[in-house]
Amino acid sequence: MAKRDDCHARGMHPLFHVPSTEVTLDLVQDFINLKIREGLTVEYKRAGDKPIEAVAALANTYGGLLFVGVDEGDKGVPSEIRGVPLGEKEKLVNQMGTGFDPPWSPEVIEVPCNEQGDKVVLVVRIDRATVPRPIVLNGAIFVRLDARNEKANRQMMRMLLDDANSQPEPRPSSVTRGLNVHESPFRIDAADPHVVLRAASSIQLWEGHERTRFPSGLAATVIEALQDTRALPLLSELGLALMDGGQVTITPWRLVDATSRRLRLQMSTVGSDGSVPSRPGALMTCTVTLRGGDPASELEVLFDTAFWLPRGVPLGLDLFLRVFYDSVPITANRLLPHVADATVGLKAMPVPLTEIHVASGGEVDSYGDVTPVDLEDIVSLSSLGERVGGRSITQGGETVLRSLVNPPHWDDAVREALVTMAMDWGFPDPKYPGRLPAGPNGG
């Protein structure tokens, strides 16, 4: 039960993503029982309070959940569902329709909460990615600061007006970080892996919540979060496939590099001679970084899966897909929420920016010169269909659509990004399967 509550408290409670028709009083009560304090992304309003300022503030900051008809106890902790009279939903929607500039309304779900049927609790779900920011309410711009709704100062207004996410999410034309450019896993030497697959996820920190360093003990928090994911069974499955059966030994997650603003952890297959990683084999690297100036204004998590392949045997498309289908939710739905909670106290995550990348290594000759290796030579891309054009493919990347990444749509989001990446490579109609069944050690 403790693990379930821990996951819920970090933004993965079903209330954040189930269809509105499945939002029940029991589900609302389950969230209230977690006793999550009001904060940057959660607010409770009693009957009689005016919730419209809270809607505007959450929309202009990180998004989140607003409950109307829930009493608070001490220090912003919810205490009891009392409900509000029928008709409050219509009143709130009308207020937003006339008071917001530009006109906009989030999802407002009406949940009956008494036997007589004359009281409801309103669950307002605010997806930051769909907000035409900034939302102006009666001439003022409200933002969320800790558990308060405040009018934005000039600097905050400038941030909102300059924010690339001020409009509903466009289709990204290019990725923001190339695997070979930012935190490259390649050292350009003979020990480099043949191919690396990356999931990257990040979140901007609002003014006043920037950090100069990570809290102490974060490495243990990240390791604990990693151990409760599919990373270990996935690496075991990759090892079995790469080593062609037999027993696979895996190292535990270990901290290999650490500063006050950056942590790097690794887990890998082990060769019979004790070599780490084994060749052939695989290595997973998790890098957690505070980025952007001093203090930092962005939290970033990178999750890399590197492969050393058997000679002449390409990486199968099934393994290629499985890494992305598993590593994206590990990064965006597990690791980043834990890091955000431990670093700035974000208990309910907004939708993060998430990207996928792939890049091949190079062949190093006796003079130390590196020749890039075509991905088609080391990954079974022919399974995607017939390719148009003869240009070399050495890397690719794509941004995952935020509108698809709320669970349980991770697979759809990843597949959409992979299809776009394949089209950029020259496959006009790529044949990607959906979620693949887990292997023998899939867990």
Side-chain angles (χ1 to χ4, degrees):
M1 184 67 181
K3 278 191 177 180
R4 175 175 173 272
D5 286 354
D6 184 62
C7 289
H8 286 357
R10 285 165 170 81
M12 289 171 279
H13 191 279
L15 202 55
F16 283 86
H17 58 78
V18 298
S20 58
T21 54
E22 297 179 19
V23 176
T24 63
L25 183 60
D26 286 343
L27 198 59
V28 175
Q29 186 65 63
D30 184 66
F31 188 94
I32 299 304
N33 289 344
L34 296 176
K35 301 299 182 185
I36 297 175
R37 288 192 178 95
E38 286 188 329
L40 288 173
T41 55
V42 177
E43 180 157 1
Y44 311 99
K45 287 290 186 184
R46 302 178 178 87
D49 287 348
K50 295 181 179 180
I52 190 168
E53 288 185 5
V55 175
L58 289 166
N60 282 329
T61 315
Y62 287 116
L65 290 176
L66 167 65
F67 298 86
V68 184
V70 175
D71 284 2
E72 302 168 42
D74 294 335
K75 299 181 180 179
V77 174
S79 60
E80 185 178 358
I81 297 175
R82 291 189 179 274
V84 293
L86 284 171
E88 287 297 306
K89 174 182 177 179
E90 183 178 0
K91 183 186 299 183
L92 176 58
V93 171
N94 288 339
Q95 288 175 342
M96 292 187 293
T98 58
F100 284 167
D101 181 20
W104 169 80
S105 178
E107 187 178 21
V108 182
I109 305 168
E110 195 175 54
V111 183
C113 64
N114 67 347
E115 293 181 358
Q116 293 78 17
D118 60 351
K119 288 287 187 68
V120 296
V121 59
L122 301 182
V123 180
V124 185
R125 297 198 290 201
I126 301 165
D127 180 356
R128 180 181 183 271
T130 67
V131 180
R133 303 191 322 148
I135 291 292
V136 180
L137 172 61
N138 298 327
I141 296 176
F142 288 87
V143 293
R144 190 79 174 156
L145 298 177
D146 292 324
R148 310 184 316 278
N149 305 314
E150 300 283 353
K151 290 184 179 180
N153 60 28
R154 181 175 297 180
Q155 184 175 359
M156 293 176 185
M157 289 182 186
R158 186 178 297 116
M159 289 173 61
L160 285 166
L161 291 169
D162 292 342
D163 186 3
N165 296 318
S166 292
Q167 299 300 321
E169 178 192 15
R171 179 69 181 174
S173 58
S174 62
V175 295
T176 60
R177 296 174 175 85
L179 188 150
N180 277 313
V181 177
H182 172 62
E183 292 277 356
S184 174
F186 298 107
R187 297 176 301 179
I188 316 299
D189 60 31
D192 276 349
H194 294 102
V195 62
V196 177
L197 312 184
R198 167 175 290 174
S201 199
S202 62
I203 185 172
Q204 296 292 320
L205 301 179
W206 192 253
E207 183 190 17
H209 294 272
E210 308 97 329
R211 290 292 184 269
T212 58
R213 62 176 177 80
F214 281 128
S216 61
L218 182 65
T221 299
V222 176
I223 290 175
E224 180 183 0
L226 285 165
Q227 289 172 339
D228 197 26
T229 69
R230 258 193 54 80
L232 177 58
L234 174 62
L235 186 59
S236 298
E237 182 182 340
L238 297 175
L240 285 171
L242 294 169
M243 299 177 192
D244 195 23
Q247 185 174 357
V248 176
T249 303
I250 306 292
T251 66
W253 283 104
R254 63 193 188 280
L255 188 64
V256 295
D257 187 31
T259 68
S260 63
R261 293 169 60 121
R262 183 173 173 275
L263 303 174
R264 177 167 288 179
L265 303 101
Q266 290 183 342
M267 176 174 69
S268 70
T269 56
V270 181
S272 58
D273 59 352
S275 59
V276 178
S278 62
R279 315 288 177 83
L283 168 72
M284 288 180 172
T285 302
C286 174
T287 306
V288 181
T289 309
L290 275 171
R291 291 173 48 81
D294 192 10
S297 58
E298 181 183 24
L299 279 174
E300 177 187 71
V301 176
L302 306 179
F303 192 91
D304 292 343
T305 304
F307 293 89
W308 288 261
L309 301 172
R311 184 177 298 275
V313 180
L315 179 67
L317 190 64
D318 57 337
L319 297 180
F320 177 87
L321 292 174
R322 197 182 310 284
V323 169
F324 280 127
Y325 281 140
D326 284 343
S327 62
V328 168
I330 286 173
T331 305
N333 200 43
R334 184 66 178 169
L335 295 177
L336 187 59
H338 273 70
V339 174
D341 184 12
T343 305
V344 294
L346 269 179
K347 293 286 187 182
M349 277 283 298
V351 178
L353 176 66
T354 303
E355 300 171 1
I356 58 173
H357 298 274
V358 56
S360 60
E363 293 180 344
V364 183
D365 61 22
S366 57
Y367 297 99
D369 295 327
V370 179
T371 302
V373 175
D374 198 310
L375 271 175
E376 286 190 294
D377 294 335
I378 52 179
V379 180
S380 301
L381 298 182
S382 59
S383 304
L384 297 175
E386 185 175 351
R387 190 163 80 94
V388 178
R391 63 189 180 281
S392 176
I393 307 172
T394 59
Q395 61 182 312
E398 184 60 29
T399 303
V400 176
L401 285 176
R402 297 191 199 194
S403 54
L404 291 177
V405 299
N406 284 331
H409 303 299
W410 288 107
D411 291 357
D412 294 339
V414 173
R415 185 179 183 279
E416 177 76 13
L418 287 168
V419 166
T420 302
M421 188 190 301
M423 293 173 67
D424 289 340
W425 288 338
F427 295 94
D429 186 23
K431 307 298 182 186
Y432 275 123
R435 161 63 72 168
L436 300 162
N441 283 351

